Amino acid sequence: MKQLLPAVLIAAVLTGCFATAATGARPENEKIVCAYMAHSATDSVPTCYINRLIYSHVYLNTTLTDVTVLNPSRLRYASSLKSRDEGLEVMVSFGGSPSTLSRAMRSDSLRAIVVDRCVDIINEFNLDGIDIDWEYPGRGEGALSEKEDVANYVKLLADLRRALGPDKRITIACAGSGYGVDLPEMARWVDQFNVMCYDMGTPPSHHSALYPSEHVAWIETDGSISRFLDAGVPPEKIILGVPFYGRGAGPFNSFVEWRDITLPDGATERFDSVAMVPWIADAAGEMILTYDNPRSLAMKCRYAADRGLAGAMYWRIEEDDSAQSLGRAVYTTLNP
């Protein structure tokens, strides 16, 4: 199913990639290409096909007394990548359990502790900003109602903006459904919304379809982006989120990284020409894996460009293959 590039071509791709990064040559009006990276990974991170990197993550502890950095040495490594790649931004993702965040954000004093600590981390590690990943307001045991949590979420963003000033980035990772966010109010304080247009279904439904089809359960990328635009969010504040993994059933695990996808015996790769995403069917024709490939990602990135969006982001960079097949498709489509 997944065709690996010949070794000679891989070498050529990566050599050209590193040469571009070394010279700092980036196109004018470059679209944002943002990748999340894991704190638990140990491999090096190629930056030639991105211009924003978000480290995952730092989190609010359960005692509400501190924001903890997971694997500080890895975060220092991420920050150091800026010195070898001119124009690269490195940010950090902040989160915690829904109930923990809900309890902290309802208190002015606890929210101030979170803001102060996040500012300290940004300064200590020489970062360009912060991405808030609250999944999701109004959810989790002990959480307030969605309405109360969302109002407190806005307060957090406003406090962060005042503390960080205009020169640091603030983004939020939010569900494609638009759940748990007050879009008009949040748009006042954030630079971009990272709209997670994935995990919207599992086999027999696509988890990251571009358009609705018979294999889409309830929402898809176009519907998600339209919700944000219809709510008045400027397109330049919307970043289209895409997955570098699939959701599986049967012979596949529920979560399969792109680089590990192989075609089982008797299975066939298919392409939904309506939803514009690939899938794998077993011998009986049933969907056993839903995912993205370079072809579908290029279609999504052309869609993002056509709608005037700021760019694309993906979860996560370590899930790509050695030739950076997915990352290259995203970057070169958005920045031809």
Side-chain angles (χ1 to χ4, degrees):
M1 185 279 299
K2 187 172 66 173
Q3 298 295 320
L4 296 178
L5 293 175
V8 173
L9 181 53
I10 291 175
V13 168
L14 296 181
T15 299
C17 165
F18 294 140
T20 300
T23 62
R26 292 188 177 275
E28 293 184 9
N29 302 316
E30 185 180 34
K31 288 284 189 180
I32 294 170
V33 180
C34 171
Y36 284 83
M37 66 173 285
H39 69 272
S40 56
T42 58
D43 48 348
S44 60
V45 174
T47 60
C48 44
Y49 296 129
I50 62 173
N51 45 39
R52 181 177 294 175
L53 184 66
I54 299 181
Y55 178 87
S56 177
H57 58 275
V58 301
Y59 70 98
L60 177 63
N61 63 20
T62 56
T63 61
L64 313 182
T65 58
D66 195 17
V67 175
T68 302
V69 179
L70 290 173
N71 198 352
S73 62
R74 184 72 173 166
L75 179 53
R76 290 190 185 91
Y77 162 74
S79 179
S80 73
L81 296 174
K82 296 195 296 178
S83 65
R84 77 180 194 197
D85 189 350
E86 182 181 349
L88 177 69
E89 294 181 348
V90 178
M91 301 171 59
V92 68
S93 176
F94 165 79
S97 73
S99 58
T100 299
L101 292 172
S102 182
R103 286 186 291 134
M105 293 308 112
R106 73 184 69 172
S107 162
D108 290 344
S109 59
L110 291 177
R111 194 169 61 250
I113 290 173
V114 170
V115 170
D116 289 345
R117 181 65 178 125
C118 287
V119 171
D120 288 343
I121 291 170
I122 289 169
N123 291 333
E124 177 184 353
F125 290 89
N126 187 30
L127 303 174
D128 297 293
I130 190 165
D131 177 69
I132 308 299
D133 187 12
W134 185 346
E135 300 182 29
Y136 293 101
R139 299 279 179 90
E141 183 178 354
L144 296 176
S145 69
E146 180 186 352
K147 181 178 179 180
E148 293 170 298
D149 271 354
V150 169
N152 291 333
Y153 200 165
V154 173
K155 292 179 182 178
L156 170 64
L157 296 173
D159 290 348
L160 277 169
R161 177 56 73 200
R162 284 188 281 267
L164 289 171
D167 297 329
K168 296 292 185 180
R169 301 282 187 197
I170 300 176
T171 62
I172 64 171
C174 48
S177 64
Y179 178 86
V181 286
D182 182 336
L183 293 173
E185 281 298 310
M186 290 180 169
R188 296 176 55 199
W189 306 108
V190 304
D191 292 283
Q192 279 97 26
F193 296 84
N194 291 322
V195 186
M196 299 183 288
C197 295
Y198 41 79
D199 290 338
M200 298 188 288
T202 56
S205 299
H206 295 303
H207 90 106
S208 59
L210 178 53
Y211 296 111
S213 78
E214 61 177 331
H215 296 297
V216 171
W218 65 286
I219 195 170
E220 78 303 318
T221 297
D222 180 56
S224 296
I225 298 303
S226 294
R227 290 186 184 197
F228 282 73
L229 292 170
D230 292 345
V233 178
E236 62 270 18
K237 287 201 170 192
I238 299 174
I239 296 178
L240 172 60
V242 298
F244 278 19
Y245 63 90
R247 302 304 302 267
F252 288 104
N253 293 327
S254 62
F255 182 99
V256 186
E257 295 183 353
W258 157 257
R259 61 184 179 182
D260 295 331
I261 296 175
T262 56
L263 195 63
D265 291 341
T268 56
E269 183 183 24
R270 304 187 182 185
F271 194 86
D272 186 331
S273 60
V274 180
M276 300 300 180
V277 284
W279 56 289
I280 292 177
D282 62 15
E286 299 296 324
M287 182 187 292
I288 54 175
L289 188 71
T290 164
Y291 61 103
D292 272 280
N293 62 12
R295 177 186 178 188
S296 65
L297 290 177
M299 291 177 175
K300 289 179 179 180
C301 290
R302 283 193 289 271
Y303 168 91
D306 289 345
R307 300 208 72 174
L309 307 187
M313 71 84 177
Y314 47 85
W315 180 274
R316 53 188 174 78
I317 197 166
E318 297 92 352
E319 293 164 1
D320 206 348
D321 59 31
S322 60
Q324 291 188 263
S325 301
L326 302 187
R328 188 172 187 236
V330 171
Y331 186 87
T332 57
T333 304
L334 286 171
N335 297 290

